[in-house]
């Protein structure tokens, strides 16, 4: 089990492989972000995207899918998350792209009001097959402490 104490600032990991499928881009857009440039080749051609691109929210979902797949076999003492800071969609994601990601633990802070948990800020960066950054965000997760009575967590 990985606890708050085990998470070290500066730790980075590179992982994941997600192949972006046209039908998935269209399905997500129909359900959650029905801008014409996500749904129509003709409309997308009129924009700076030039062709159908994935919704930024879809890119977030694909990033989360890679992240969860990466950690699913490693038990974590996670209590969920409280939010995302500094979310940026830096380049379009297109059907046919192959995504991967990197995480870096930026900082951590033990809760003053709840000594059994702490917050961890993790930069999550998603890349396309050309190693170009397409998404950059900082996720704030909550993790249990192994030993809430210890002073050095």
């Amino acid at each position: 089990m990985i606890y708050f104490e085990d998470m070290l600032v500066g730790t980075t990991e590179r992982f994941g492989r997600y192949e972006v499928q046209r039908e998935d881009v269209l399905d997500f857009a129909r359900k959650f972000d029905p801008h014409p440039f996500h749904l129509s080749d003709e409309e997308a051609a009129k924009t700076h995207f030039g062709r159908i691109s994935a919704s930024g929210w879809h890119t977030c979902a694909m990033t989360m899918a890679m992240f969860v797949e990466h950690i699913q076999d490693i038990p974590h003492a996670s209590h969920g998350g409280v939010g995302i800071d500094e979310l940026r969609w830096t380049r379009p994601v297109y059907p046919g792209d192959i995504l991967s990601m990197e995480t870096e633990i930026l900082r951590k802070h033990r809760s003053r009001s709840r000594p059994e948990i702490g917050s961890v800020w993790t930069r999550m960066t998603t890349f396309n097959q050309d190693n170009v950054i397409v998404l950059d965000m900082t996720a704030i997760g909550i993790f249990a402490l192994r030993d809430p009575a210890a002073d050095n967590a």
Side-chain angles (χ1 to χ4, degrees):
M1 180 74 69
I2 296 177
Y3 290 90
F4 177 82
E5 295 93 330
D6 303 319
M7 304 183 84
L8 304 175
V9 172
T11 300
T12 61
E13 291 185 276
R14 183 81 186 251
F15 54 89
R17 179 180 171 83
Y18 196 103
E19 295 184 29
V20 182
Q21 303 295 320
R22 178 180 171 87
E23 208 43 53
D24 293 339
V25 169
L26 295 172
D27 285 346
F28 188 95
R30 282 185 204 105
K31 292 176 187 174
F32 304 111
D33 190 354
H35 282 91
F37 52 82
H38 293 314
L39 294 168
S40 162
D41 292 308
E42 294 76 25
E43 292 299 317
K46 298 175 188 176
T47 70
H48 69 282
F49 298 118
R51 57 190 167 117
I52 285 181
S53 63
S55 164
W57 298 112
H58 189 188
T59 304
C60 288
M62 292 182 279
T63 297
M64 187 54 107
M66 284 188 288
F67 179 71
V68 171
E69 181 178 338
H70 176 67
I71 67 167
Q72 71 183 356
D73 296 329
I74 308 166
H76 284 73
S78 174
H79 284 224
V82 296
I84 300 292
D85 286 346
E86 303 172 13
L87 170 60
R88 297 290 182 268
W89 299 300
T90 56
R91 293 284 188 272
V93 171
Y94 298 107
D97 282 353
I98 299 172
L99 306 180
S100 62
M101 66 179 294
E102 180 177 278
T103 57
E104 177 187 5
I105 298 175
L106 299 176
R107 65 185 173 113
K108 56 189 243 183
H109 175 73
R110 189 169 172 176
S111 175
R112 290 188 186 112
S113 61
R114 296 186 57 204
E116 74 279 7
I117 63 170
S119 299
V120 177
W121 284 257
T122 303
R123 171 168 285 125
M124 301 175 88
T125 307
T126 304
F127 302 87
N128 69 15
Q129 66 280 354
D130 298 321
N131 209 37
V132 172
I133 297 171
V134 297
L135 176 145
D136 188 44
M137 67 181 173
T138 302
I140 308 163
I142 305 295
F143 294 87
L145 273 76
R146 176 182 295 106
D147 182 4
D151 288 335
N152 61 351

